């Protein structure tokens, strides 16, 4: 039964643990719930914001509108000659989905173990970690169109994936609500341990020929050791994107900072490690008021308890200013600011 709650605290619904209120809040368990919600007058008179795990948002003030939390569950698979197609409800917790795949020997998402958030949010910013991005395993998704109130299908080509980007963050922002995602996985693992830390972790465990469970376990271990656990220390993962710059801009940076950590991109640009830039500016592990950067990964801003969204936001401004003045590079936030 669809319920619309009023004036509720969003603290349990955002991984930063910021204590703000929403005027209205509805949790959605099915596409039918969505259709019912959109028959309500409220959706025409209020601002809307969709959350999954609330793990990529910073609330800087009370939300004067309707928050729609997507909790559509269910995972099913279809095995063909060449592929395994797994469809998961948008509200499935991402890591539960990864565990399901690993347990069923469906290969492809093991490197994406322990990323916070939900399945429905995964295509929006094309989540990625340890050498794999969501787009590498994405087949299609279904999404509810707010304007027409119909559910539509999006293929890979429709989604315009880029580094932490998709059409859902770009041209179609705010127009669709993802309800399910279908992944193209495989029974034959293409083990990808190219990301240095994975090799080293497997090596230290004495594993020569890893299977997907080994990779998932190694990735989980690396994440736990480097990244703060949102259930104890509020955070939203990487707060900034790794900046992608042109080669001629890079020439300036590397001339002054020969040891700058960087990677070439497929489109002939250069991606810089934002965590490294921030650390070089002296911010790693710094605590300022109730906020700061994480001691093992400077790209992650944390709530040490009782931080307000504006406090975290102004801290992020200081970081942007200092990276700009030291390296001439402008950091962009990866987290949605509300
Ligand atoms: N580095 C530093 N200091 C730091 C952090 C990083 O010098 O404080 C250096 C590292 O030594 C390494 C390089 O920067 O040489 C890259 O660091 P890392 O491997 O930790 O990855 P990242 O580029 O900082 C990205 C993703 C993470 C993902 C990791 C692993 C973005 C914005 N972030 O971080 O994703 O887990 O790669 O693949 O692309 C997230 O998006 O929330 C997230 C955590």
């Amino acid at each position: 039964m669809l319920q619309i709650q009023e004036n509720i605290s969003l603290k349990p619904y955002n991984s930063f643990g910021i204590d703000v209120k929403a005027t209205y809040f509805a949790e959605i368990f099915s596409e039918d719930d969505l259709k019912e919600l959109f028959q309500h007058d409220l959706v025409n008179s209020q601002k809307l914001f969709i959350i999954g795990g609330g793990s990529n948002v910073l609330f800087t003030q009370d939300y004067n509108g309707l928050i729609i939390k997507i909790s559509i569950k269910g995972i099913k698979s279809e095995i063909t000659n060449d592929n395994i197609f797994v469809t998961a409800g948008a509200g499935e917790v991402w890591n539960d989905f990864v565990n399901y795949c690993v347990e069923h020997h469906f290969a492809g998402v093991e490197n994406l173990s322990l990323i916070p958030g939900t399945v429905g949010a995964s295509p929006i910013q094309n989540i990625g970690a340890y050498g794999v991005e969501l787009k590498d395993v994405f087949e299609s998704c279904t999404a509810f169109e707010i304007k027409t109130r119909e559910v539509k299908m999006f293929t890979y080509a429709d989604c315009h994936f880029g580094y932490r980007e998709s059409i859902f963050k770009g041209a179609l922002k705010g127009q669709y609500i993802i309800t399910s995602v279908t992944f193209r996985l495989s029974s034959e693992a293409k083990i990808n341990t190219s990301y240095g830390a994975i090799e080293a972790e497997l090596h230290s465990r004495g594993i020569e020929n890893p299977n997907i469970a080994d990779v998932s376990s190694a990735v989980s271990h690396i994440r736990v050791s480097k990244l703060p656990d949102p259930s104890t220390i509020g955070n939203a993962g990487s707060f900034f994107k790794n900046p992608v710059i042109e080669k001629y801009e890079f020439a300036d940076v590397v001339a002054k900072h020969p040891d700058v950590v960087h990677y070439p991109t497929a489109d002939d640009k250069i991606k810089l490690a934002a965590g490294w830039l921030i650390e070089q500016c002296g911010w790693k592990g710094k605590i300022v008021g109730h906020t700061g950067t994480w001691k093992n990964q400077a790209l992650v801003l944390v709530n040490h308890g009782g931080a307000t969204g504006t406090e975290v936001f102004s801290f992020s401004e200081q970081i942007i200013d200092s990276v700009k003045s030291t390296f001439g590079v402008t950091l962009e936030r990866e987290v949605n600011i509300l």
Side-chain angles (χ1 to χ4, degrees), residues 129-130 163-164 195 226 238 242 263 273 276 279 297-298 334:
Y130 303 102
Y163 166 60
R164 294 296 192 276
Y195 212 91
K226 284 184 76 166
S238 300
N242 284 327
Y263 321 90
W276 185 89
E279 179 173 351
Q297 167 53 291
E334 198 222 82

Side-chain angles (χ1 to χ4, degrees), residues 56 115-116 125 128-131 163-164 195 223 226-227 236-242 261 263 271-277 279-280 284 294 296-300 334:
N56 204 39
I115 294 185
Q125 58 153 344
Y130 303 102
Y163 166 60
R164 294 296 192 276
Y195 212 91
R223 288 189 75 96
K226 284 184 76 166
L227 300 170
S238 300
F239 195 88
F240 303 100
K241 294 203 254 183
N242 284 327
V261 179
Y263 321 90
K271 191 192 270 188
L272 303 180
W276 185 89
L277 300 174
E279 179 173 351
Q280 296 303 306
K284 189 170 183 173
W294 185 235
N296 301 330
Q297 167 53 291
L299 193 47
V300 177
E334 198 222 82

